[in-house]
Amino acid sequence: MARIPYALVDAFAPAPGAGNRVAIVLDARGMSPEEMQRVAKRLALPETAFLTERRGAAFGVRFFTPSGEVEFSGHAAVALGLTLVRLGLAPEGATRLYLHTPTEALPVEVEYEGGEPRKARVRGPTPRFRDLPPFAALRAALEALGTDERYLHRGLPYGIAYTGLWSLFVPLVAPGVVDALEPEMPALAEVSRRLEVATVHAYAPMGPRSFYARDFAPLLGIPEDPVTGSANAALGALLARAGVVPRREGEVRLTVYQGHRLGNPGVVEVLVEYSPTGLPYAVQIGGEAVVVATGDLA
């Protein structure tokens, strides 16, 4: 049987042991979705990216969780962009790559410092929004998270938004309240199923342009995701749409801190761009990443 080369990468972190670890299968050419799913289960990480094609600065990619394929994984895309350059799979010195998923092409910008690739930024899927869920549904989500409406931040938006995955966003009054959450996973899974969302994203303000978050995805087989790219991209879009974050020259730049409660602190940089009509139309997420190990699956 052919050996399957892979890399383990910590995304949204400058050093190993922080951020969100992702597996990258470096050569998945010819693999069926069923085979990819089996490999993702073997690697047993929240997300695995599969490199299905290589053509210069363009790459085919698919993303899998242990329970199935997803359209987009922000931390995996950031990790993949930097890893392709660092392992010599992308053209030397490349500053822009394109990740072709089954549904769209995602541009990735690579930033260098002292000649070395330092950060990557990926433009996620176009943000989408749903109508506000009934307040009773929000109350049920708060209860499943282990808190109640006394700790709901009334000046920040709650709602359901999408940049690759649909998420329910629950604003709380302070980072300490977010850290104190002890979710009841069966109840949270039921709330997620009823609202047809993949994750529940609790967040709180740290400053005008900075937020603290935790993300729970029981329906994806991930009780808590350490640092989440796609949900934080959607959070940026939701905040920009509500007009509660400072805006300058047609864009908003935010920083989201996540993973501290799990001992995997990470930092996600979010850039939301506005259309001429004043609505958010594109979101970039970025940060650092580090290759932790490489190997082969037999």
Side-chain angles (χ1 to χ4, degrees):
M1 179 182 291
R3 302 182 76 82
I4 302 171
Y6 70 93
L8 301 180
V9 185
D10 285 347
F12 299 128
N20 198 351
R21 184 158 296 179
V22 60
I24 298 173
V25 174
L26 300 168
D27 187 357
R29 289 174 293 184
M31 290 180 67
S32 69
E34 293 75 21
E35 289 171 319
M36 294 182 199
Q37 185 65 70
R38 286 196 293 270
V39 170
K41 286 182 178 178
R42 283 187 64 188
L43 290 167
L45 288 173
E47 304 273 1
T48 301
F50 291 83
L51 200 60
T52 59
E53 190 177 3
R54 289 166 49 189
R55 290 180 302 178
F59 302 85
V61 62
R62 298 180 77 160
F63 303 107
F64 281 79
T65 73
S67 60
E69 187 171 10
V70 295
E71 287 185 37
F72 175 66
S73 170
H75 77 283
V78 168
L80 181 57
L82 284 170
T83 300
L84 289 170
V85 174
R86 286 175 176 156
L87 296 186
L89 299 174
E92 185 176 355
T95 58
R96 174 164 285 219
L97 310 174
Y98 292 90
L99 306 181
H100 292 267
T101 74
T103 57
E104 61 185 310
L106 306 173
V108 179
E109 296 177 14
V110 181
E111 296 180 9
Y112 291 77
E113 188 175 286
E116 295 296 322
R118 172 78 185 279
K119 292 182 179 181
R121 295 198 312 273
V122 59
R123 176 171 290 178
T126 302
R128 288 188 264 158
F129 308 92
R130 287 190 192 152
D131 292 339
L132 277 180
F135 195 80
L138 178 62
R139 191 180 292 116
L142 288 165
E143 185 176 338
L145 286 168
T147 188
D148 59 53
E149 59 188 282
R150 290 176 300 166
Y151 298 101
L152 185 67
H153 196 302
R154 305 285 176 166
L156 292 174
Y158 82 91
I160 297 175
Y162 166 98
T163 51
L165 292 172
W166 287 104
S167 297
L168 170 68
F169 294 91
V170 180
L172 299 172
V173 292
V177 176
V178 176
D179 261 351
L181 297 176
E182 295 287 351
E184 184 183 340
M185 286 302 163
L188 201 60
E190 180 55 34
V191 169
S192 302
R193 194 175 293 110
R194 195 180 316 129
L195 293 177
E196 298 181 336
V197 297
T199 82
V200 176
H201 203 71
Y203 74 98
M206 295 178 67
R209 295 182 179 85
S210 60
F211 297 84
Y212 181 75
R214 293 175 68 189
D215 190 84
F216 308 98
L219 293 187
L220 299 180
I222 306 169
E224 181 170 355
D225 196 39
V227 191
T228 316
S230 57
N232 283 318
L235 172 61
L238 187 73
L239 291 165
R241 182 174 183 245
V244 296
V245 286
R247 172 178 169 180
R248 185 173 299 169
E249 296 182 357
E251 66 180 33
V252 160
R253 292 180 180 268
L254 305 171
T255 303
V256 184
Y257 299 88
Q258 191 183 338
H260 298 67
R261 180 70 163 75
L262 295 177
N264 298 84
V267 181
V268 183
E269 298 172 3
V270 182
L271 169 63
V272 184
E273 300 172 74
Y274 290 86
S275 70
T277 62
L279 295 175
Y281 80 97
V283 186
Q284 294 182 41
I285 52 170
E288 299 179 78
V290 57
V291 178
V292 177
T294 58
D296 295 278
L297 287 177

